[in-house]
């Protein structure tokens, strides 16, 4: 028999102090999360944001929550208003808040209530280069990051951009949490390989929960 390319291995992987991949942690709510993403993307469409240098990100994004991460020619910021629609971002669904809180708690970060969720959509060829999540005001809160759909390579670096990253496979339903001493670790996603996932088709979605204020 052929191996199942999308078999979900439920292994947890310790990445560092306050950081781990929780294998399959979101699997039981994955279909509901994707349904929310589809519904919300009709209100706040996926778009390829521009960077200060005028390039467009290969990952398409929108936000939900009271604040959303925005990039344009003036740089990065959090904004309560979606510049594409001039309306507030869609509210964080209670299911999202509950999942993010439980995942953070699994690493010992109790009481995590995100106010921003960046929704990323990767298609084959999309990638996210090494970066730190540093536009949030409150770095004492962790980051919670949920993988849905096609598998990807999560790059887990160090405190310096030049630190060579470890490569970890993340699959549908995996949740990565990093906080405390690992909060400012450089991370990224390798170029997405082509595939067809039963839940998302030819795409990977990622939900990145942050406490921005
Ligand atoms: O897609 C991922 O797994 C990571 C996303 C990320 O690091 C970000 O949106 O800042
Ligand atoms: Mn990030």
């Amino acid at each position: 028999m052929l191996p199942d390319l999308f078999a979900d291995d439920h292994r947890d992987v310790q990445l560092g102090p306050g950081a781990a991949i929780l294998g399959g942690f979101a699997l039981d709510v994955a279909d509901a999360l994707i349904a929310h993403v589809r519904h919300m993307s009709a209100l706040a469409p996926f778009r390829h944001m521009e960077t200060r240098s005028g390039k467009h990100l290969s990952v398409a994004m929108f936000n939900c929550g009271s604040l959303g991460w925005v990039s344009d020619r003036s740089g990065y910021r959090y904004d309560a208003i979606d510049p594409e629609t001039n309306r507030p971002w869609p509210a964080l669904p209670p299911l999202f808040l509950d999942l993010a809180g439980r995942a953070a708690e699994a690493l010992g970060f109790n009481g995590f209530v995100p106010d921003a969720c960046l929704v990323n959509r990767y298609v084959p060829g999309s990638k996210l280069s090494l970066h730190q999540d540093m536009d949030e005001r409150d770095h004492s809160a962790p980051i919670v990051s949920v993988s849905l759909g096609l598998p990807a390579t999560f790059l887990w670096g160090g405190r310096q951009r030049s630190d060579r990253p470890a490569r970890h496979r993340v699959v549908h339903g995996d949740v990565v949490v990093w906080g405390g001493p690992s909060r400012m670790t450089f991370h990224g996603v390798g170029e997405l390989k082509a595939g067809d996932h039963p839940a998302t088709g030819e795409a990977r979605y990622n939900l990145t929960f942050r406490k921005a204020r």
Side-chain angles (χ1 to χ4, degrees):
M1 214 175 103
L2 287 170
D4 179 356
L5 286 177
F6 301 116
D8 302 292
D9 53 15
H10 288 251
R11 279 177 309 114
D12 292 349
V13 179
Q14 190 75 43
L15 296 173
I21 301 173
L22 304 173
F25 191 89
L27 211 45
D28 58 341
V29 292
D31 287 345
L33 297 174
I34 292 164
H36 278 294
V37 167
R38 293 201 169 122
H39 173 72
M40 291 189 294
S41 67
L43 306 171
F46 279 107
R47 79 290 308 261
H48 294 276
M49 292 187 200
E50 205 173 357
T51 63
R52 202 190 274 278
S53 66
K55 290 194 187 121
H56 288 266
L57 299 172
S58 68
V59 180
M61 305 171 172
F62 74 89
N63 293 273
C64 55
S66 57
L67 288 168
W69 185 84
V70 175
S71 174
D72 61 20
R73 292 302 289 256
S74 63
Y76 310 135
R77 66 178 183 279
Y78 277 95
D79 203 318
I81 299 296
D82 176 354
E84 290 279 316
T85 65
N86 288 317
R87 295 164 62 94
W89 301 100
L92 263 168
L95 174 70
F96 282 36
L97 281 172
D98 175 68
L99 173 67
R102 286 189 293 113
E105 208 172 299
L107 271 282
F109 302 107
N110 295 339
F112 176 55
V113 183
D115 51 15
C117 174
L118 177 63
V119 183
N120 294 312
R121 183 183 67 201
Y122 298 75
V123 295
S126 305
K127 62 178 179 177
L128 195 60
S129 44
L130 282 179
H131 65 278
Q132 294 165 301
D133 292 350
M134 57 188 311
D135 303 318
E136 300 71 34
R137 207 171 286 165
D138 182 1
H139 290 172
S140 69
I143 302 289
V144 172
S145 170
V146 180
S147 289
L148 298 165
L150 287 179
T153 302
F154 187 69
L155 307 172
W156 183 250
R159 297 287 298 209
Q160 314 288 334
R161 191 185 299 278
S162 56
D163 291 339
R164 190 192 177 95
R167 300 167 68 87
H168 295 278
R169 182 178 154 92
V170 283
V171 303
H172 184 61
D174 286 354
V175 179
V176 189
V177 179
W178 62 98
S182 293
R183 174 63 179 74
M184 297 311 284
T185 302
F186 276 91
H187 59 281
V189 176
E191 197 171 304
L192 197 79
K193 293 206 176 71
D196 192 1
H197 192 279
T200 60
E202 297 174 352
R204 168 180 187 259
Y205 296 120
N206 165 264
L207 314 176
T208 290
F209 293 95
R210 290 128 176 212
K211 178 134 178 50
R213 273 204 189 127

